[in-house]
């Protein structure tokens, strides 16, 4: 009996200590500027689940102590023998009953908080914040000649557009698109930035996109790409990306007149995150049969694609190479007409650590090897070819090995002297040993048979 009582008391003390330690660790921090805040790597749901679990365990141990106190347990409860046993017992029962109720209530409230976390406090206060000023007053300030009032109006419109769908439709119904387009052409960078943000938010709704295109809003976005403010350029590109998704008519407006020149300007003068967005726009355009040829219509666009292939961002490289692959599938001559791609493709195969980037680069290189006119250009880069093919044949990817085998076979068929080149034959032997696919093994074996005297 005493062993049971000591054990229950020990569990209670242990869980109380653990609960206090966890609660202190997970307690929000407070600063004068930020108020209460959590650590960035913590999740609210896991925090509450952990605390509620400890509260439930403490509730159970307090119930166990209450059952033990039904008997005469004064000698082990108190170390004050001068107090009457009955008073200590009644005091302990009252204390543990109150503690049990408190922990049970805490457990219930914590469990309800887990469900309540799907709501954000901004859901309740945001509509009040953005509806303080009437739309008509905002439009009046936007048409003012004061830059300060225009900037304030543009900020209010951006907040209004970002709040909810009802405010978006209300803004458009009152003629807000034309007002935002006028603000986006302002000479003040702050006004233009807020206006472009508002436009980008509005264009998340499909029905608004058509009206925006009809009133000539695409030209405003393309003009904003020449801004010196990277934030404005990025917001403009985000808006253009939303317009170009599965909408060929909008793509015609984007690429119309000097659209390609505007997008190429971004690649030549902006940061990688902006270049990535342009690469995504090019990929969307490549899925349109009527517009795909516009991407490489002029030779002045080739260096732009070369820069994207050589850039350090693997996502941009993937998007660019996928665009070129779509062009090559529909019209191989459109790719082989630009042998300048050979050098960056070989460099990408040799240096890139991304498997997909190397695979698409190898497929594109195969188009140049299969073409008799560009094959001579490939052979001029003998050192780069050896490095690139070595990367391909030593991988455990069957597609890359098959592409490498086809390239080696075409190179050998065009120039029989390569059969006696030590470096080339080492590549063939390495491919034959490491082949994970029957087709790659057969192609490498075919090359070795060609070397045997007839």
């Amino acid at each position: 009996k005493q062993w049971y009582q000591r054990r229950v008391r020990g569990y209670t003390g242990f869980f109380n200590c653990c609960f206090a330690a966890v609660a202190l660790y997970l307690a929000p921090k407070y600063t004068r500027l930020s108020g209460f805040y959590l650590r960035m790597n913590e999740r609210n749901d896991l925090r509450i689940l952990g605390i509620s679990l400890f509260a439930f365990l403490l509730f159970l141990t307090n119930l166990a102590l209450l059952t033990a106190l039904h008997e005469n347990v004064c000698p082990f409860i108190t170390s004050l023998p001068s107090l009457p046993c009955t008073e200590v017992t009644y005091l302990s029962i009252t204390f543990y009953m109150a503690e049990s109720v408190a922990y049970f209530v805490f457990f219930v409230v914590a469990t309800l908080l887990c469900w309540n976390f799907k709501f954000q406090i901004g859901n309740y206060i945001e509509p009040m914040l953005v509806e303080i000023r009437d739309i008509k007053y905002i439009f009046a300030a936007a048409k003012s000649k004061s830059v300060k009032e225009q900037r304030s109006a543009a900020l209010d419109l951006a907040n209004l557009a970002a709040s909810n769908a009802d405010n978006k439709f209300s803004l458009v119904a009152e003629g807000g698109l034309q007002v935002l387009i006028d603000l986006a052409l302002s000479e003040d960078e702050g006004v233009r930035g807020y206006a472009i943000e508002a436009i980008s938010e509005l264009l998340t709704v499909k029905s608004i996109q058509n009206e925006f295109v009809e009133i000539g809003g695409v030209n405003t976005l393309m003009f904003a790409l020449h801004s010196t403010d990277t934030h404005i350029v990025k917001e403009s590109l985000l808006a253009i990306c939303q317009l170009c998704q599965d909408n060929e008519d909008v793509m015609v407006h984007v690429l119309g007149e000097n659209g390609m020149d505007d997008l190429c300007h971004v690649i030549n003068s902006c940061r990688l995150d902006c270049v990535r967005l342009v690469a995504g726009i090019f990929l969307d355009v490549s899925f349109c049969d009527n517009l795909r040829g516009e991407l490489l219509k002029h030779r002045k666009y080739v260096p732009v694609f070369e820069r994207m292939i050589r850039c350090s961002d693997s996502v941009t490289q993937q998007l660019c190479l996928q665009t070129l692959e779509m062009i090559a599938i529909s019209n191989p001559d459109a790719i082989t007409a630009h042998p300048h791609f050979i050098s960056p493709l070989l460099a990408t195969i040799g240096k890139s650590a991304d498997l997909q980037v190397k695979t698409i680069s190898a497929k594109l290189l195969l188009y140049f090897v299969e073409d008799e006119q560009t094959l001579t250009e490939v052979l001029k880069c003998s050192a780069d070819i050896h490095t690139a093919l070595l990367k391909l044949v030593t991988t455990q990817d069957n597609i890359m090995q098959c592409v490498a085998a086809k390239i080696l076979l075409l190179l050998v068929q065009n120039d029989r002297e390569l059969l006696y080149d030590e470096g080339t034959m080492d590549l063939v032997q390495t491919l034959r040993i490491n082949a994970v696919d029957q087709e790659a093994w057969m192609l490498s074996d075919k090359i070795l048979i060609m070397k045997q005297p007839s």
Side-chain angles (χ1 to χ4, degrees):
K1 179 179 177 180
Q2 291 182 354
W3 172 82
Y4 169 75
Q5 294 165 354
R6 292 194 186 96
R7 192 165 187 175
V8 171
R9 184 172 55 177
Y11 282 148
T12 305
F14 173 74
F15 285 126
N16 270 292
C17 292
C18 291
F19 181 81
V22 172
L24 288 174
Y25 175 74
L26 297 179
K29 303 297 184 291
Y30 177 82
T31 62
R32 183 177 61 84
L33 297 177
S34 303
F36 290 99
Y37 66 94
L38 306 177
R39 297 182 179 89
M40 294 298 293
N41 60 346
E42 290 180 0
R43 293 178 53 184
N44 289 334
D45 50 356
L46 295 180
R47 170 197 297 260
I48 294 300
L49 283 175
I51 294 179
S52 62
L53 177 62
F54 276 110
F56 185 70
L57 292 175
L58 286 168
F59 168 72
L60 294 179
T61 52
N62 278 283
L63 286 182
L65 277 174
L66 283 173
T67 58
L69 286 171
H70 280 293
E71 302 179 7
N72 187 13
V73 291
C74 288
F76 82 91
I77 292 179
T78 179
S79 59
L80 302 174
S82 60
L83 293 176
C85 180
T86 55
E87 292 182 6
V88 175
T89 303
Y90 293 149
L91 181 62
S92 300
I93 290 175
T94 305
F95 172 76
Y96 284 118
M97 284 183 64
E99 194 174 29
S100 299
V101 172
Y103 279 126
F104 182 75
V105 172
F106 186 91
F107 169 73
V108 173
V109 173
T111 306
L112 291 176
L113 280 176
C114 293
W115 172 80
N116 189 58
F117 273 139
K118 66 182 180 181
F119 298 104
Q120 300 292 333
I121 192 170
N123 295 347
Y124 302 103
I125 67 172
E126 189 178 40
M128 302 177 186
L129 292 176
V130 298
E131 292 178 359
I132 293 176
R133 297 183 63 186
D134 189 80
I135 294 179
K136 294 181 179 179
Y137 292 107
I138 299 176
F139 286 170
K143 296 176 182 179
S144 172
K145 295 182 179 180
S146 171
V147 175
K148 183 178 180 180
E149 291 189 9
Q150 287 183 353
R151 188 178 301 176
S152 177
L155 177 59
D156 289 335
L157 291 173
N159 292 331
L160 189 66
S163 56
N164 54 60
D166 293 336
N167 286 335
K168 289 182 174 68
F169 288 117
S170 299
L171 197 154
V172 174
E174 296 290 337
L177 283 178
Q178 187 60 54
V179 174
L180 287 171
I181 289 175
D182 294 338
L183 291 175
L185 297 175
S186 172
E187 296 180 358
D188 183 72
E189 295 288 345
V191 176
R192 293 170 63 188
Y194 290 134
I196 295 295
E197 283 183 21
I199 291 173
S200 181
E201 288 290 343
L202 291 176
L203 294 182
T204 56
V205 181
K206 287 288 184 181
S207 58
I208 298 177
Q209 294 179 1
N210 297 328
E211 183 176 349
F212 180 77
V213 174
E214 290 175 1
I215 62 177
V218 175
N219 294 331
T220 303
L221 295 177
M222 302 305 291
F223 174 76
L225 297 181
H226 293 271
S227 173
T228 56
D229 189 340
T230 307
H231 176 70
I232 295 178
V233 176
K234 187 175 181 179
E235 290 294 333
S236 302
L237 289 172
L238 288 173
I240 295 171
C241 288
Q242 292 169 354
L243 289 172
C244 290
Q245 288 179 357
D246 303 324
N247 196 332
E248 186 172 346
D249 295 333
V250 176
M251 294 180 189
V252 173
H253 286 85
V254 170
L255 298 182
E257 297 182 2
N258 299 321
M260 274 297 296
D261 295 333
D262 296 331
L263 293 173
C264 292
H265 170 77
V266 175
I267 297 176
N268 293 325
S269 60
C270 290
R271 302 180 312 187
L272 281 178
D273 53 351
C274 296
V275 175
R276 183 187 300 179
L277 292 173
V278 176
I281 295 173
F282 285 162
L283 182 59
D284 289 334
V285 173
S286 68
F287 283 99
C288 298
D289 297 334
N290 299 328
L291 299 175
R292 191 180 296 126
E294 297 292 328
L295 297 175
L296 293 177
K297 186 176 181 180
H298 300 289
R299 289 188 177 273
K300 62 180 180 180
Y301 302 144
V302 176
V304 175
F305 282 91
E306 287 185 41
R307 181 178 179 184
M308 287 192 290
I309 295 174
R310 294 181 183 272
C311 77
S312 57
D313 181 42
S314 60
V315 177
T316 304
Q317 287 181 314
Q318 287 184 22
L319 295 172
C320 176
L321 292 170
Q322 287 172 354
T323 302
L324 294 177
E325 186 180 21
M326 290 295 300
I327 297 173
I329 291 173
S330 62
N331 184 12
D333 294 337
I335 292 294
T336 56
H338 305 288
H340 297 287
F341 286 132
I342 295 174
S343 179
L345 288 175
L346 290 172
T348 302
I349 296 172
K351 297 179 181 179
S352 177
D354 191 286
L355 184 62
Q356 187 176 3
V357 169
K358 290 198 289 189
T359 302
I360 302 175
S361 300
K363 290 180 180 179
L364 290 172
L365 184 63
L366 185 59
Y367 284 100
F368 291 98
V369 177
E370 290 175 342
D371 188 271
E372 294 182 358
Q373 296 180 353
T374 56
L375 180 58
T376 55
E377 298 293 332
V378 177
L379 292 173
K380 292 179 181 179
C381 308
S382 56
D384 293 335
I385 292 176
H386 186 276
T387 303
L389 292 177
L390 182 61
K391 291 284 186 180
L392 295 177
V393 300
T394 53
T395 61
Q396 296 300 311
D397 184 78
N398 59 332
I399 297 178
M400 296 176 67
Q401 287 187 346
C402 289
V403 171
K406 291 178 181 178
I407 293 175
L408 282 170
L409 180 60
L410 290 170
L411 291 175
V412 169
Q413 287 176 345
N414 181 76
D415 188 1
R416 291 277 178 164
E417 294 182 0
L418 293 176
L419 290 172
Y420 305 99
D421 180 69
E422 184 177 353
T424 304
M425 298 316 296
D426 287 342
L427 287 173
V428 176
Q429 291 288 357
T430 304
L431 175 61
R432 194 167 184 269
I433 295 171
N434 298 326
V436 295
D437 185 83
Q438 184 178 5
E439 183 182 1
W441 187 90
M442 292 179 65
L443 289 173
S444 60
D445 191 61
K446 185 176 181 180
I447 297 174
L448 294 176
I449 294 174
M450 291 173 60
K451 186 178 181 181
Q452 297 177 358
S454 55

